[in-house]
Amino acid sequence: MHVMWDLRQEFRCAVLKDNALPKAEVAIQVRRLTKLESEKPCPVLLLVDDSKETENPHDLVNCIRKAAVEDSLNVNVDDAPNCKVIILNCVRSHSPKEQYRQHNPGLCQYITASLTQDEQKEFEKKLKELKETHDKPENFYSFMIMKSNFDKKYIDDLARNTLENFDFSTKEAQLFAFLALLNTYVAESEISLSLCEDFFGMKMIRWQEDSVLERMRPYSNLLIIDTVEEWGGYKGIRILHCSIASACLEELERSCNLKVSDIAMAILHCDLFFSVGVVKHRFMLSIQRMLIERQRKKDGDEREPFSPLIDKIHSQEGRQAVQEIFVKASSRFVSSASIPQALARYLYINERDFPEALIWAEKAKNIKENPYTFDTIGQLHKSNLKSNIHREKQETSLNPEDLNTNIKIAGNAIRAFKRAQDLANTEDEPEEKAADDESEDYPRKSYNVYGYVGVLEIAFLVFEILSRLPFFEESDPMKKKYLQSFLQKVIPITNVYKKDNEINNRYMEIIKEHEQFLQSLKAEVKETFELLDCYFMYIKGNNSEFDSKNRWNVCSHFKKYVTLFCTAREEIKKERQNNPNLNWKIDIEERRLFLEERQADTFAGILQHLDKPAEEIETITECYAFLQQQQQFINKKQKTKETINYILSNIVLYVLKPKSKHVKSYSSLSALLLKTLQDVGLGYPFPDPYYLALLLLWPSPTQENTEIGTYVKAIRNSYRKRLTLLFRNRSTVAHLYLGKEEGLKRLVSKPQLDENFKDMRRDALAQLWRNGDIFKDKAIINRLHRVCGTIEQGEVFANYGKLKIPVRPALIAGIRSGFSTEKVSFYLGFAIDGPLAYDIQYEN
């Protein structure tokens, strides 16, 4: 704020406090601020206060760019010196140094509650000035705290002296304790003056502002009355500084044996605070935040399991006090799902009381069905399953009923995770900020693929449980083969060899009862891997810890999948020796297993090899060539899929190793693609063949393809039906770009473009891609072909003679709104939902 004050002559300064506002609305306000009382645009300095680390600041940047472009059609926003907006992204943190180290030091700075020697000298100088004009400058406590360099001993002494005769039975002492608790655990919190008057029973019509402070003596020296602008504006009372509030809490506990749980319960017990009223509603939200708002961990985006207040109560008094607080809060906040949800999480994480936790998780779900309440149920069951597995490993005897219980828990967990994912895919999430936002394990509006990952985790826990059964033991190759065959539906459980005894017979009965569920898991897992491959390959990454952790988790589970289902190649070699007449069938099976093992049996999986060594994609292409030659397919669906994958593997191999003997010519691939497109028509359920059409059939200055517009429409329709839900609220990214050559030579991959920036930090390079500045680099300009086009009524088209092909702007800020037709040029990238226009430049 001091920086903004110093720069007020150079910039229009503003603070964004409500991050729940739509970014487009904020951009409009910023645009108006640039023009306020001035003909020429003035630069704006915008402080985004208390930004969340998981939020993407580039969304706001793009919205501001777009608003500026719309406002001034003839001004180049990037270059016009007077039309600039500087955003200071302020993130509050309990560990600023650690957060600073994790981010780009060149783009970040951290500020701590610590004074330099020069600043301390300035405070000493200021104190001398105050002594000349005030009788007791030492009563300016906020000033004195800073002057003492936030010395804890000074603050503790201040609290001890003020609370010397504290009596919690008086209303004044109670209100002060309430404020101490609230101001310690909730930033920028207060209690409205009118609510304090009601608490004291002050019913006279007119009271001076300081009348409440008079009642609050001897604590009033530590209090201040502020004007709160939100909720229509009102006066609120709070403790001068959060460090004083915290010291007072510690003193109350030390000298009065008054614990934070006692104060919290006293607040929850008071009916007055929970009756209808605007200012009371804000106070209620503060109480709720105190109970459920969780801090981020020091080492990343993830949150601590519980709020600092609940952690404190748990460490002091344990389960009973925590549960009593949550039960009482649940009766006060009857419409909040977060209170019972937080209690459920506490019970299963800290206490391992899964039955009681499930009761509260179900209660939260009944209050509000959303991805987060269902995810809590899924996580609860997953934790229960892991706990059971750990316990059973310690036991020496076998109990078949444990298997029955665990399979039922796994089924419940998978149903919960699927429901969470379905809701995340289909439900519109609220724009307004709620106290609940800070109680979730994931950033609001980004549940994304956690439900899919949860399903994977449960499935592999079930595989682990089955692999420990006497007749499925993983250590025995034959028994492992039985497990593989059973899970792949090759044999029923009744055909599995086992020793005939009571325990094994009961195990068989239980598996028979759940056979349909168990045999569905392998296909479920395979489909989930394919969906997640699409997600990680096709969307524009946000570099968050959540996505990185999910990707690592999925990779680790895929290795387990390979170990369990793709290790039969050694056995295939033995079978080839024993049955030489079946060699060609064995060769086909071996190659398909290899492709699955390398994640090359899917379109997205093959595309991933653009960023891998050429030798692997060469082997993959060779495998597909063999399968094409043999023409042994289970059905037409498999034939189409493998043909499409074969074409893509050739394209990727050419990009990485153009002189490979396994690469087919451009004309051969085009002919095979055209035949495939005729077979599938325009209604294929996946966008894959139409993506290939963009790569191979896109027009060139010397050759037009009048059908290309049809394939653009087809890829958009297919993407919308198949992948829109998965990629909800996320932008796709191009992995191949249109170069200046002809044929396959014109396809340039993103890794090839990145090679020009080998010495640049990864986060700095990612920033260039995000804001589009990478296309201003000379190396990129020399490599890519600039396409001519038009913008008509907000729609972008690539023009080739009379042919107009619809494309989508990669950055929405790159186009102007309006209904005029304007000539433009741009670079072209190919994404799974169609062609993307990058670096759109207007001719005028």
Side-chain angles (χ1 to χ4, degrees):
M1 296 301 287
H2 291 291
V3 171
M4 298 183 82
W5 178 257
D6 291 340
L7 295 174
R8 67 190 185 280
Q9 301 298 332
E10 302 172 46
F11 293 89
R12 300 275 174 81
C13 299
V15 179
L16 174 62
K17 288 189 173 182
D18 185 3
N19 285 325
L21 283 173
K23 301 292 187 289
E25 185 177 328
V26 174
I28 291 170
Q29 297 296 333
V30 170
R31 185 189 69 185
R32 288 173 181 166
L33 192 58
T34 63
K35 298 173 63 182
L36 189 65
E37 298 178 356
S38 175
E39 291 183 4
K40 293 183 178 181
C42 294
V44 167
L45 183 61
L46 179 66
L47 173 66
V48 181
D49 191 19
D50 201 17
S51 171
K52 302 295 179 237
E53 291 177 79
T54 49
E55 286 183 356
N56 189 352
H58 307 291
D59 292 343
L60 178 58
V61 171
N62 288 336
C63 285
I64 293 174
R65 282 177 182 265
K66 186 171 188 294
V69 172
E70 289 178 356
D71 195 51
S72 181
L73 294 179
N74 297 314
V75 173
N76 187 317
V77 220
D78 296 321
D79 300 330
N82 291 326
C83 187
K84 60 177 84 164
V85 178
I86 298 175
I87 299 176
L88 297 176
N89 222 25
C90 171
V91 178
R92 300 179 191 273
S93 172
H94 288 268
S95 51
K97 289 185 180 179
E98 287 82 356
Q99 299 288 2
Y100 169 75
R101 292 191 189 104
Q102 290 176 22
H103 294 82
N104 185 354
L107 299 175
C108 304
Q109 189 53 266
Y110 68 89
I111 302 172
T112 59
S114 178
L115 300 179
T116 64
Q117 288 187 350
D118 289 341
E119 288 170 334
Q120 290 181 48
K121 289 177 183 177
E122 289 295 320
F123 270 94
E124 292 288 353
K125 182 180 175 183
K126 187 65 178 177
L127 180 60
K128 290 179 182 177
E129 294 176 11
L130 289 173
K131 284 180 177 178
E132 295 174 2
T133 55
H134 294 81
D135 294 335
K136 293 185 176 182
E138 61 273 11
N139 285 354
F140 298 157
Y141 295 123
S142 292
F143 173 82
M144 295 301 291
I145 287 172
M146 287 189 284
K147 179 199 164 292
S148 69
N149 203 6
F150 303 91
D151 180 39
K152 191 172 188 313
K153 185 178 182 305
Y154 170 82
I155 301 169
D156 290 344
D157 290 343
L158 176 62
R160 184 166 51 255
N161 294 334
T162 304
L163 302 176
E164 192 171 0
N165 298 309
F166 190 85
D167 180 4
F168 192 58
S169 65
T170 67
K171 289 214 164 190
E172 292 78 13
Q174 289 171 15
L175 185 61
F176 185 81
F178 296 165
L179 285 167
L181 185 71
L182 203 66
N183 295 162
T184 298
Y185 289 104
V186 183
E188 299 182 7
S189 57
E190 77 295 311
I191 302 178
S192 75
L193 213 55
S194 63
L195 191 55
C196 294
E197 290 169 355
D198 289 341
F199 183 72
F200 287 140
M202 300 163 65
K203 294 298 181 184
M204 292 182 64
I205 295 173
R206 296 183 68 84
W207 285 88
Q208 296 297 320
E209 281 183 12
D210 62 351
S211 60
V212 171
L213 292 181
E214 289 291 331
R215 287 286 298 268
M216 288 298 291
R217 290 187 184 278
Y219 321 117
S220 53
N221 283 349
L222 302 184
L223 301 175
I224 188 173
I225 293 175
D226 275 341
T227 298
V228 180
E229 295 178 2
E230 290 89 348
W231 304 83
Y234 65 90
K235 302 284 186 183
I237 190 168
R238 63 173 176 85
I239 292 176
L240 285 166
H241 197 276
C242 62
S243 61
I244 298 177
S246 180
C248 287
L249 269 190
E250 292 175 12
E251 179 60 25
L252 291 177
E253 185 179 341
R254 188 190 66 80
S255 61
C256 306
N257 197 28
L258 187 63
K259 295 183 171 63
V260 290
S261 62
D262 299 326
I263 303 171
M265 190 59 85
I267 292 175
L268 292 168
H269 181 73
C270 185
D271 292 337
L272 171 68
F273 297 150
F274 300 94
S275 54
V276 179
V278 171
V279 292
K280 293 174 186 173
H281 183 62
R282 178 179 164 89
F283 180 48
M284 287 170 67
L285 287 177
S286 294
I287 297 169
Q288 196 173 350
R289 286 179 61 195
M290 185 169 63
L291 295 172
I292 65 175
E293 188 171 287
R294 298 150 56 193
Q295 304 295 334
R296 281 190 173 80
K297 292 181 179 179
K298 292 182 179 180
D299 56 351
D301 290 341
E302 289 190 31
R303 298 182 187 278
E304 296 290 348
F306 310 104
S307 73
L309 175 61
I310 295 302
D311 276 336
K312 174 87 170 176
I313 296 172
H314 173 72
S315 64
Q316 285 185 334
E317 302 173 76
R319 169 177 175 168
Q320 185 175 348
V322 171
Q323 192 160 351
E324 285 174 357
I325 292 283
F326 273 132
V327 170
K328 184 66 177 176
S330 182
S331 69
R332 289 299 191 185
F333 301 100
V334 291
S335 62
S336 169
S338 290
I339 298 295
Q341 183 185 14
L343 177 53
R345 297 182 71 262
Y346 173 81
L347 290 170
Y348 86 76
I349 292 173
N350 274 14
E351 304 300 325
R352 291 290 186 264
D353 187 345
F354 300 107
E356 181 74 7
L358 185 57
I359 292 171
W360 288 98
E362 290 285 351
K363 183 174 182 178
K365 182 257 294 180
N366 292 338
I367 292 171
K368 188 172 186 180
E369 290 194 1
N370 63 27
Y372 308 100
T373 53
F374 274 99
D375 182 80
T376 297
I377 294 173
Q379 297 293 346
L380 187 161
H381 287 309
K382 184 179 81 175
S383 183
N384 193 359
L385 206 54
K386 285 184 173 181
S387 178
N388 288 351
I389 292 172
H390 178 73
R391 173 181 53 79
E392 290 159 21
K393 283 180 179 178
Q394 316 304 315
E395 296 172 349
T396 54
S397 60
L398 297 174
N399 183 358
E401 297 313 313
D402 288 341
L403 175 64
N404 195 29
T405 301
N406 288 336
I407 293 175
K408 288 178 180 177
I409 292 170
N412 290 334
I414 286 179
R415 279 189 289 276
F417 282 129
K418 282 185 173 180
R419 181 62 179 145
Q421 192 64 60
D422 287 344
L423 288 172
N425 289 347
T426 57
E427 278 195 347
D428 291 327
E429 298 208 34
E431 282 293 330
E432 69 271 11
K433 181 177 174 63
D436 296 22
D437 291 6
E438 305 303 328
S439 72
E440 311 299 357
D441 287 315
Y442 322 101
R444 178 62 64 174
K445 296 187 182 176
S446 57
Y447 188 82
N448 288 334
V449 294
Y450 294 97
Y452 295 125
V453 175
V455 169
L456 275 186
E457 290 175 324
I458 297 299
F460 279 94
L461 287 175
V462 173
F463 296 156
E464 180 185 346
I465 290 169
L466 292 176
S467 69
R468 293 176 55 245
L469 297 180
F471 42 83
F472 281 151
E473 280 179 338
E474 203 170 14
S475 56
D476 185 325
M478 181 55 69
K479 292 179 179 179
K480 182 181 177 182
K481 179 65 177 174
Y482 276 129
L483 177 59
Q484 286 179 341
S485 300
F486 169 71
L487 292 173
Q488 290 170 326
K489 298 184 181 180
V490 175
I491 59 171
I493 191 62
T494 50
N495 286 14
V496 173
Y497 172 77
K498 66 175 189 342
K499 287 183 180 179
D500 190 14
N501 58 50
E502 188 178 344
I503 289 178
N504 281 349
N505 290 338
R506 180 60 185 140
Y507 275 134
M508 286 290 188
E509 288 175 9
I510 292 167
I511 292 176
K512 182 70 177 170
E513 184 183 340
H514 300 286
E515 190 165 24
Q516 186 177 357
F517 167 71
L518 294 173
Q519 290 192 325
S520 70
L521 290 178
K522 198 262 182 184
E524 181 98 54
V525 162
K526 177 61 178 166
E527 184 182 352
T528 303
F529 277 131
E530 291 181 9
L531 277 170
L532 291 170
D533 271 352
C534 291
Y535 176 80
F536 292 121
M537 191 62 197
Y538 296 146
I539 61 132
K540 188 182 293 184
N542 60 5
N543 298 316
S544 78
E545 184 183 339
F546 294 96
D547 268 357
S548 300
K549 183 180 176 182
N550 270 337
R551 192 160 197 168
W552 181 88
N553 202 348
V554 171
C555 287
S556 123
H557 279 102
F558 188 76
K559 288 176 184 176
K560 295 177 185 177
Y561 178 86
V562 168
T563 302
L564 181 57
F565 294 109
C566 301
T567 53
R569 291 174 67 198
E570 291 77 13
E571 296 170 25
I572 288 174
K573 289 176 184 176
K574 291 180 184 177
E575 195 173 341
R576 182 186 285 114
Q577 293 170 358
N578 296 333
N579 298 287
N581 294 330
L582 297 177
N583 270 356
W584 65 277
K585 283 189 176 180
I586 293 170
D587 287 344
I588 290 171
E589 185 181 352
E590 185 178 13
R591 281 166 172 79
R592 285 188 174 133
L593 272 173
F594 171 80
L595 293 172
E596 186 175 14
E597 185 181 331
R598 292 293 186 273
Q599 284 183 288
D601 59 338
T602 66
F603 197 82
I606 295 170
L607 210 51
Q608 287 178 19
H609 284 78
L610 282 168
D611 208 7
K612 293 182 180 180
E615 291 71 27
E616 196 163 313
I617 191 65
E618 193 166 31
T619 308
I620 289 165
T621 306
E622 190 180 359
C623 284
Y624 273 116
F626 176 82
L627 294 175
Q628 287 291 303
Q629 185 182 6
Q630 296 299 321
Q631 289 288 303
Q632 294 295 316
F633 304 109
I634 299 170
N635 50 36
K636 188 176 180 182
K637 179 180 175 183
Q638 186 186 52
K639 178 183 178 181
T640 302
K641 180 182 177 181
E642 290 189 358
T643 303
I644 289 169
N645 289 351
Y646 171 60
I647 297 171
L648 180 63
S649 68
N650 271 273
I651 293 172
V652 174
L653 178 57
Y654 181 86
V655 169
L656 296 178
K657 193 177 179 181
K659 293 184 179 179
S660 170
K661 65 179 182 179
H662 297 289
V663 175
K664 290 291 181 183
S665 67
Y666 171 73
S667 57
S668 298
L669 294 176
S670 298
L672 183 57
L673 174 62
L674 286 169
K675 182 179 182 303
T676 304
L677 288 169
Q678 284 298 308
D679 290 341
V680 301
L682 300 176
Y684 194 68
F686 299 92
D688 310 351
Y690 312 120
Y691 183 80
L692 293 176
L694 299 185
L695 300 183
L696 296 179
L697 307 180
W698 191 265
S700 68
T702 59
Q703 183 179 1
E704 288 187 11
N705 186 328
T706 55
E707 294 294 320
I708 195 68
T710 305
Y711 297 132
V712 170
K713 185 177 180 181
I715 197 173
R716 289 179 173 180
N717 289 338
S718 181
Y719 170 84
R720 188 172 62 251
K721 291 175 184 175
R722 173 68 180 172
L723 298 174
T724 299
L725 294 180
L726 180 62
F727 297 163
R728 193 162 174 261
N729 299 324
R730 300 292 290 271
S731 301
T732 53
V733 65
H735 292 282
L736 290 161
Y737 296 82
L738 188 66
K740 295 184 175 181
E741 305 288 337
E742 293 286 326
L744 292 176
K745 286 184 180 180
R746 68 179 177 171
L747 296 176
V748 183
S749 71
K750 183 176 180 295
Q752 286 176 325
L753 297 177
D754 287 341
E755 282 179 10
N756 298 290
F757 307 91
K758 285 181 180 177
D759 299 329
M760 186 178 288
R761 285 174 56 105
R762 285 177 64 97
D763 52 356
L765 179 58
Q767 171 71 1
L768 286 181
W769 279 104
R770 275 194 293 263
N771 59 25
D773 287 346
I774 195 160
F775 296 101
K776 294 176 173 58
D777 187 272
K778 189 175 181 181
I780 306 299
I781 294 171
N782 291 339
R783 193 77 187 267
L784 299 183
H785 172 65
R786 197 160 189 90
V787 176
C788 294
T790 54
I791 294 181
E792 301 175 19
Q793 298 186 348
E795 294 288 325
V796 186
F797 295 91
N799 294 346
Y800 289 87
K802 295 180 179 179
L803 189 63
K804 286 201 308 184
I805 309 166
V807 300
R808 182 170 59 82
L811 292 177
I812 195 67
I815 63 169
R816 306 167 182 166
S817 63
F819 295 97
S820 60
T821 297
E822 300 188 67
K823 291 184 178 181
V824 293
S825 66
F826 46 81
Y827 297 113
L828 200 71
F830 301 106
I832 199 62
D833 61 342
L836 296 177
Y838 289 88
D839 191 44
I840 297 173
Q841 298 289 334
Y842 287 80
E843 279 196 10
N844 60 348

